[in-house]
Structure formats: structure tokens, C-alpha cells
Amino acid sequence: MCNTLKIIISVVLAIFVSTFIFVSLSNAQGRDKTYERIKNTSAKIVRGKILGREEVRYDYDGIDMRCGYILEIDVIQSFKGGNDNFKVFASNSDILMNDAPDTEYFLFARRNPAFGKGPATDFINCDEGRSTRMDISGFEYLSTRLTQQIFPIVSYRSDNPIVDEDTGVVKKGEWMMIVDRIANNALPYTISRRRLNNGNQAVIEEMSLSNFLDEFDLNG
């Protein structure tokens, strides 16, 4: 009886260990690497302010449509690509801008391989959910992907306490605003995130800036 019990216990332990290893490997393999790839392929990863913006418009079957902006970025802190200011093209679906002049953003930008090499077309999202193929060869840097590339940063200060409506806890620290987009499921849930109650239906969550930097080893 004792030997049989030992055998059963050994089998159960073996199954448990095998299952644990399998689940761990599956989770590791299944973890979305989207933002890891974005980090690796971006020419610039910065924290900065928008000094100026220029509308990019397109004639869509006779309709003059806005398809994005060329943004002049004042680099406050560089995590990749240097401290020089630069211009980047962001389509309407890839940008969330706050008109407050002191608003800071966390931004990914990739170098455009077609820059200065003559006409090169790509799909760009314009007003009213329409997309078109337009020449992008005039843009040196791009922030145009399905996933969010530009995150406004909100800072909660002790001298201006704001209470989280869901938890009743005073908000603290710096947080990145997340727009309502399915592709943002690529953001790891190991980063602290919470629903944002600001009356803007286009912005659904905010996530911890410090957690984000730690998750992607951007603190240096």
C-alpha cells in the first residue's frame, strides 16, 4: 500500500511539474512581442513636446481631407536616437494631441527608408475613417502603425489631488494615456493600467510610465 501511494504521489507530482513547465513555456511563447519589436525598430524613442504641427491634406475623390500632421518634436529626454529635435509624420489614427502647450508625450518614431528617394506610397488613415495611398517620401520619420505610437503623459501632483473614481485612491505619479484601439491589447498587462474617467471616450485607459520603461528596459 505504501509503495502504491508513493507511486501515485510521484505520478501526480510529475504531472504537476510537467503542466507547470508547459504553461510557463506557452505563456512565454504567447506573450505579444509587438512593443518589443517597435522598440527595436524605432530610430527614436523620446519624451518631448510638440513645438508645432502642420496639417497634411489629400484630395480624396474631390474631397479635401486631413490625413495627419507633421509634428515638430522638442526632445526633453531621449531613450534612443539622440537629443536633437526632429519632425515626424503621424496619421490621424496614430495621434492624440492635447492643446495645452506644456503637454508632454512619449513617442516612438521609425526612420522612413523612402525619405528623399522619390515617390513612395503607403496606406494612410484620413478623416472619417477613410484611408488612402499617398506619397510618404517627404517624411523622414514616421509614427504610423496600427498600435499606438504617441502617448500623452499626465502627471498627478500632490498639490492638486485627483481621486480615482473606481478605487477612491488619490492618483500619483506619471501615466501614459491609451486610446480606444483594439491593437492596444499588445500592451503587456504586467504594466499597471487603469480606466480613465475624463469624459473623453477616445481615451479609455492610462498606464504607468515607470512600469512601461521598466518592462521594456528603457531606463538605461
Side-chain angles (χ1 to χ4, degrees):
M1 179 66 69
C2 288
N3 289 335
T4 301
L5 183 59
K6 289 180 180 179
I7 293 173
I8 293 174
I9 293 174
S10 298
V11 170
V12 171
L13 286 174
I15 293 173
F16 175 80
V17 171
S18 298
T19 302
F20 177 79
I21 293 174
F22 175 79
V23 170
S24 298
L25 290 174
S26 297
N27 287 338
Q29 293 171 353
R31 178 185 171 192
D32 197 303
K33 299 292 185 180
T34 298
Y35 274 91
E36 194 68 40
R37 289 192 296 270
I38 290 174
K39 183 188 90 167
N40 294 334
T41 57
S42 290
K44 291 183 177 292
I45 304 175
V46 304
R47 176 175 182 157
K49 294 182 179 181
I50 297 176
L51 290 179
R53 63 189 72 166
E54 176 187 346
E55 282 190 353
V56 175
R57 307 191 74 88
Y58 187 82
D59 186 341
Y60 190 99
D61 293 335
I63 303 174
D64 183 32
M65 303 195 69
R66 183 180 58 225
C67 294
Y69 297 86
I70 298 173
L71 305 175
E72 183 179 358
I73 304 299
D74 176 20
V75 177
I76 296 172
Q77 181 179 8
S78 174
F79 303 93
K80 184 179 182 180
N83 294 303
D84 293 337
N85 293 357
F86 64 99
K87 292 184 177 181
V88 59
F89 173 70
S91 67
N92 282 357
S93 66
D94 294 298
I95 189 166
L96 176 66
M97 294 186 299
N98 189 325
D99 289 332
D102 58 345
T103 299
E104 296 183 7
Y105 299 82
F106 188 91
L107 181 147
F108 293 94
R110 67 187 186 280
R111 191 179 300 277
N112 180 10
F115 175 64
K117 297 182 180 179
T121 58
D122 197 3
F123 278 105
I124 299 297
N125 292 320
C126 301
D127 288 340
E128 302 174 11
R130 300 182 183 183
S131 63
T132 188
R133 291 180 64 85
M134 63 181 293
D135 181 14
I136 62 168
S137 62
F139 311 133
E140 185 174 4
Y141 295 100
L142 303 170
S143 289
T144 52
R145 281 189 171 113
L146 290 176
T147 45
Q148 187 173 344
Q149 304 288 283
I150 302 175
F151 298 87
I153 298 172
V154 57
S155 299
Y156 296 107
R157 306 187 311 272
S158 58
D159 61 340
N160 182 28
I162 297 176
V163 177
D164 188 328
E165 294 181 7
D166 293 328
T167 64
V169 176
V170 175
K171 294 184 176 184
K172 297 179 181 178
E174 295 186 312
W175 295 72
M176 301 160 69
M177 298 171 66
I178 303 175
V179 299
D180 185 6
R181 197 181 310 171
I182 294 175
N184 280 333
N185 288 331
L187 289 164
Y189 277 89
T190 49
I191 300 173
S192 295
R193 293 165 66 169
R194 62 192 179 199
R195 190 162 61 91
L196 187 60
N197 304 300
N198 68 344
N200 186 346
Q201 294 182 358
V203 185
I204 57 173
E205 286 183 299
E206 55 187 5
M207 66 179 172
S208 167
L209 174 59
S210 61
N211 282 179
F212 186 90
L213 296 178
D214 288 340
E215 177 72 24
F216 295 105
D217 297 321
L218 289 169
N219 276 314

